[in-house]
Amino acid sequence: MPEPRSGRVRAAVLISGAGSNMAALIDAARADDCPFEVVLVVSNKPDAGGLAVARDKGVAVAVVDHRPFGKDREAHEKSVDALLRAQEVEVVALAGYMRLLTPWLVRRWEGRMLNIHPSLLPKYPGLDTHARALAAGDVEAGCTVHLVTEGVDEGPILAQATVPVLADDIPASLAQRVLTAEHNLYPRALADFCRRR
């Protein structure tokens, strides 16, 4: 396990899948001038591919499977929160974490939890963002880093990046281009946020 570097903001990343944005954050934290370090990756899915990626990059991982908690989302989040507190996490970055958060967790991390969303908010909150952008005839799409609030994808915008919509785009091709933009935007936005803390 890498030794933590003093003075850096201790960040945790929450994932549910492959964790490509998580990997971008971990890689960015290797730079000497990066103001954050990723100290923990947490997934609600034991088979999330990002867990192996994080382990390979030397970051501690934990799983809090949501299924044993049934419909009690707050109980699940209290277990996640306990892990974050035990690791003295200061900032939480959601990276493909496919869970609707309860007001309890949002308030617990108010002003310290970020998310990346694959649209130019306030356009297209929620799911199916690329198909919606194409259906609307948009000439550009992109991604947004924002603070997490109780409303879905409604928090204050911290940073955005745009990509052109091409004439032959389908949702999958647009999604790939937006994802590349996400990998560049999220580390920069988290770094800027941590420098301002």
Side-chain angles (χ1 to χ4, degrees):
M1 200 68 62
E3 286 296 312
R5 288 180 257 191
S6 61
R8 295 191 178 211
V9 175
R10 295 174 62 82
V13 185
L14 272 53
I15 64 170
S16 294
S20 65
N21 272 308
M22 168 213 72
L25 293 174
I26 294 172
D27 290 346
R30 291 178 171 154
D32 289 338
D33 61 347
C34 185
F36 65 85
E37 58 177 328
V38 178
V39 298
L40 180 66
V41 170
V42 182
S43 178
N44 64 304
K45 294 188 173 182
D47 59 349
L51 292 168
V53 174
R55 278 191 206 98
D56 289 347
K57 293 179 180 291
V59 176
V61 302
V63 175
V64 184
D65 191 340
H66 63 276
R67 292 171 296 185
F69 293 89
K71 294 183 177 179
D72 193 345
R73 292 189 295 136
E74 190 172 304
H76 174 255
E77 291 174 351
K78 285 181 175 175
S79 293
V80 172
D81 182 69
L83 283 172
L84 300 175
R85 303 274 168 189
Q87 290 295 322
E88 300 179 336
V89 169
E90 299 168 273
V91 171
V92 176
L94 305 181
Y97 190 64
M98 303 305 289
R99 299 278 296 167
L100 283 177
L101 303 181
T102 69
W104 182 86
L105 190 68
V106 171
R107 289 173 192 150
R108 188 97 165 138
W109 289 91
E110 185 174 3
R112 297 182 296 143
M113 182 180 283
L114 286 68
N115 183 46
I116 189 156
H117 181 74
S119 80
L120 295 171
L121 293 173
K123 280 187 169 184
Y124 317 126
L127 302 175
D128 302 319
T129 57
H130 309 301
R132 290 157 70 191
L134 292 173
D138 291 354
V139 296
E140 67 177 11
C143 50
T144 303
V145 177
H146 64 94
L147 287 174
V148 175
T149 58
E150 291 183 39
V152 176
D153 301 324
E154 289 180 359
I157 291 171
L158 301 177
Q160 290 185 311
T162 60
V163 301
V165 176
L166 305 180
D168 60 350
D169 262 331
I170 60 172
S173 61
L174 181 57
Q176 190 54 54
R177 221 162 39 259
V178 170
L179 186 61
T180 299
E182 291 178 34
H183 295 164
N184 292 318
L185 180 68
Y186 210 177
R188 287 203 320 270
L190 180 58
D192 289 346
F193 177 79
C194 290
R195 286 189 187 101
R196 291 194 298 267
R197 277 179 60 78

